[in-house]
Amino acid sequence: MTRIEYRLHAFDLASPFGFADGNMFGHLLREKLGNIAPDKRAVLIECVKRFLLPALPRRIKTIVVGSHNPIRIPDGETIDDIEDFTVGVREDQVLEVAAELASRSK
């Protein structure tokens, strides 16, 4: 059985178009959950908060915005020292987060 793993890169936090322009999990959610899928950007935000941010070697400040990449560092924050940091998130973990968010919205 093939295990699909998504890579969350710290450098994506510094780009308004990071995490595939905020669409990193769009295909997965459409394919696996169809019409019952929660918002792909909400899933991305939650995955970044659960998996990437706690794994970073230092704390950073992030903001949530309404378009493109929905979670990034604010102006004035830098991540030059940790921009190469990456964590892997398994497909089943992404789908678990999606299921939790979907259940909250009912």
Side-chain angles (χ1 to χ4, degrees):
M1 181 167 120
T2 303
R3 286 198 141 183
I4 296 174
E5 184 176 83
Y6 292 87
R7 308 296 288 168
L8 297 175
H9 304 284
F11 63 76
D12 281 321
L13 292 167
S15 171
F17 305 104
F19 303 110
D21 203 22
N23 194 32
M24 177 176 258
F25 302 129
H27 178 76
L28 170 67
L29 297 173
R30 278 189 311 277
E31 180 184 304
K32 300 289 185 177
L33 302 176
N35 292 337
I36 64 166
D39 178 70
K40 64 187 175 192
R41 287 182 169 84
V43 174
L44 174 61
I45 291 166
E46 190 62 28
C47 284
V48 168
K49 287 180 177 180
R50 285 189 194 190
F51 304 113
L52 178 60
L53 297 181
L56 292 174
R58 67 174 175 86
R59 292 183 60 128
I60 63 167
K61 186 178 208 174
T62 58
I63 58 172
V64 174
V65 296
S67 64
H68 299 284
N69 175 11
I71 184 165
R72 52 188 114 144
I73 58 174
D75 291 341
E77 179 83 22
T78 62
I79 59 166
D80 295 344
D81 59 324
I82 58 172
E83 70 180 0
D84 292 332
F85 196 87
T86 300
V87 297
V89 181
R90 294 185 324 268
E91 179 181 277
D92 64 308
Q93 291 174 299
V94 175
L95 293 173
E96 183 178 308
V97 168
E100 287 177 27
L101 292 177
S103 71
R104 287 184 204 164
S105 66
K106 289 182 180 180

